[in-house]
Structure formats: structure tokens, C-alpha cells
């Protein structure tokens, strides 16, 4: 576990995986300009070399692992559920302010990753009202170039999961491009699209995360904070996988019959 400024990055052992990190992101800070912190001043060529080396080591193994994983039952697959908070709605015009991720297998949390991210720009008032994340909280947070390698390592070997995956994946891919990091080519599962396949219209009015978390009684209520929303999504995923089993869908290969769900 490392703490820098207002940012907490934690990888939690399975024994502690259900405990939330107290005080996460709440340490008082002096108000500072949103600018590059020293750890983020990385040589771009060095980042590109690191990204290419990581991709080179993993790409060959990913294809084989992907084929083997396709035959494993969903209840046995390890998922990395990720959620982002951002300064806006498009990666072309906005930046990441917070990353949260949960590794989960068989409904049990295996570990967690969380970090605030200094976006290098002011947080719009409407976004601060929505998320509670302010410029003051982000002033001493690391830049995304310092956070992304840790996230990619944390999620290595997992199926990546997000609620409305195109949003989160769009920002993550754009950030990797900006940092000179190769995108590892995760298999991605979108819980919004999965819910639309397995939920009956008379059960829920929509497939928003808050709606599904309330319906299934998720252990964590979504709150427009990255780790809380990742935890809620992980719980929703577990219930959706149970529903798939009742339909006779038990592996990624079978689930791939719905290409909008798994890509």
C-alpha cells in the first residue's frame, strides 16, 4: 500500500478484501495548482519502452490464455471490475480524476485498487457536485501516467468488467495512448449490456448501476466514486452470472453469443 498526497492505492489480500479502506481520499491538503507532480514527470520514450516491453511479454500469452479461459466456467474466472470518475463525458475533452477496481472470483473479492488522479485541469462545478471530487482533493494526486501501470498490473490475467464499458474503456485507452502505454487487449464484459439480456422488463425500470444494485441488494451502494461503484458493479456481476447459469450459459464462449456483452 502506498499513500501519496490525497491518493491511496491499495491491493488488499483476500482475507481483507471485504474491508473498505477508511479515510480514502480524505486527507486534508494545502490548496495547490493542478500541475505535473514530480513522479509523473516520466520520460515519454521510457514509458513507451516500458509499455512495449509489457505488451511484448504478455501478448503471446494472452491469446492462449484467452482461448483456455473461454472454456472455464464464469464462476471460476477472475474478473477485474473497473470504474472511473472523470471531468466530463468524452476522452477528447475530459480527463480521469479517479480510478477504482476490484478483482473478484466466484463472488469473492480478491483485491482492490484505488487512486485519485490529477487531471491537469480544473474540475467543472457540475462534476464536483456529482462526484464530490474537488480540485483541492486532486492537487497532490499523481498524474495518470503514474497510476495506469499499476492498474494494468492489477488487472493482468483478468477479464475486464465495467458498467457501460465503452465509457470507461474509451478513457483508459486514450490515457494509455497519451502515456505511450500499449493497451493489453483485455477481454471486456459490459454489465449494462448483460443486464439488458437477463433482466425482465417488469423487474427494473432501467439497467442503471444504482437500479441494479438496489434490486440485488449490493453490499456497496454506488455513489459516483470509483471504488464504491466498482464494488457495486462487482456485486451486480455476481448476480447476473447466477442468472446466466439458470439459462445454461456457463462459460465465456457461450456468453460470446452476445457480442455486445463480451468483446
Amino acid at each position: 500500500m502506498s499513500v501519496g498526497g490525497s491518493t491511496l492505492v491499495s491491493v488488499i489480500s483476500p482475507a481483507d478484501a471485504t474491508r473498505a479502506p477508511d479515510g480514502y481520499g480524505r486527507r486534508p491538503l494545502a490548496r495547490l495548482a493542478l500541475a505535473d507532480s514530480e513522479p509523473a514527470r516520466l520520460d515519454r520514450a521510457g514509458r513507451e519502452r516500458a509499455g512495449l516491453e509489457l505488451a511484448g511479454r504478455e501478448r503471446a500469452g494472452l491469446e492462449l490464455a484467452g482461448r483456455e479461459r473461454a472454456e472455464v466456467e464464469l464462476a471460476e474466472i477472475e474478473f477485474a471490475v473497473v470504474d472511473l470518475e472523470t471531468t466530463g463525458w468524452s476522452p477528447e475533452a475530459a480527463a480521469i480524476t479517479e480510478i477504482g477496481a476490484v478483482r473478484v472470483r466466484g463472488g469473492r473479492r480478491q483485491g482492490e485498487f484505488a487512486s485519485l488522479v490529477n487531471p491537469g485541469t480544473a474540475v467543472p462545478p457540475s462534476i464536483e457536485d456529482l462526484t464530490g471530487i474537488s480540485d483541492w482533493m486532486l492537487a497532490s494526486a499523481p498524474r495518470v501516467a503514474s497510476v495506469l501501470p499499476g492498474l494494468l498490473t492489477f488487472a493482468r490475467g483478468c477479464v475486464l468488467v465495467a458498467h457501460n464499458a465503452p465509457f470507461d474503456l474509451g478513457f483508459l485507452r486514450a490515457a494509455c495512448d497519451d502515456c505511450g502505454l500499449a493497451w493489453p487487449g483485455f477481454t471486456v464484459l459490459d454489465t449494462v449490456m448483460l443486464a439488458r439480456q437477463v433482466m425482465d422488463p417488469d423487474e427494473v425500470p432501467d439497467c442503471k448501476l444504482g437500479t441494479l444494485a438496489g434490486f440485488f441488494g449490493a453490499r456497496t451502494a454506488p455513489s459516483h466514486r470509483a471504488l464504491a461503484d466498482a464494488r457495486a458493479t462487482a456485486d451486480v456481476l455476481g448476480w447476473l452470472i447466477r442468472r446466466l447459469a439458470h439459462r445454461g450459459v456457463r462459460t465465456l464462449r457461450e456468453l460470446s453469443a452476445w457480442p455486445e456483452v463480451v468483446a
Side-chain angles (χ1 to χ4, degrees), residues 122-189:
V123 177
S126 60
I127 298 296
E128 182 177 345
D129 290 343
L130 177 68
T131 66
I133 298 173
S134 65
D135 294 342
W136 176 79
M137 293 171 62
L138 300 175
S140 293
R143 297 300 297 271
V144 72
S146 297
V147 178
L148 272 178
L151 174 68
L152 297 180
T153 298
F154 177 81
R156 184 182 299 160
C158 294
V159 172
L160 205 65
V161 178
H163 200 73
N164 187 23
F167 175 85
D168 299 280
L169 269 291
F171 274 93
L172 289 175
R173 286 178 179 271
C176 282
D177 286 345
D178 290 343
C179 296
L181 293 173
W183 182 249
F186 294 103
T187 297
V188 178
L189 189 156

Side-chain angles (χ1 to χ4, degrees), residues 90-114:
S90 165
E92 289 77 26
I96 297 169
T97 58
E98 189 175 39
I99 299 174
V102 178
R103 284 182 71 126
V104 61
R105 179 181 178 186
R108 295 177 61 86
R109 295 173 187 166
Q110 305 296 309
E112 295 181 337
F113 177 100

Side-chain angles (χ1 to χ4, degrees), residues 215-227:
F215 178 83
F216 289 121
R219 290 170 290 178
T220 304
S223 60
H224 295 291
R225 292 298 302 269
L227 184 56

Side-chain angles (χ1 to χ4, degrees), residues 23-57:
Y24 160 56
R26 296 174 186 166
R27 182 178 173 184
L29 299 171
R31 189 170 183 80
L32 302 173
L34 288 171
D36 283 330
S37 59
E38 190 63 33
R41 292 172 185 164
L42 304 177
D43 176 72
R44 184 177 180 85
R47 294 200 306 269
E48 289 175 348
R49 285 194 299 272
L52 290 172
E53 288 170 4
L54 176 63
R57 285 196 305 269

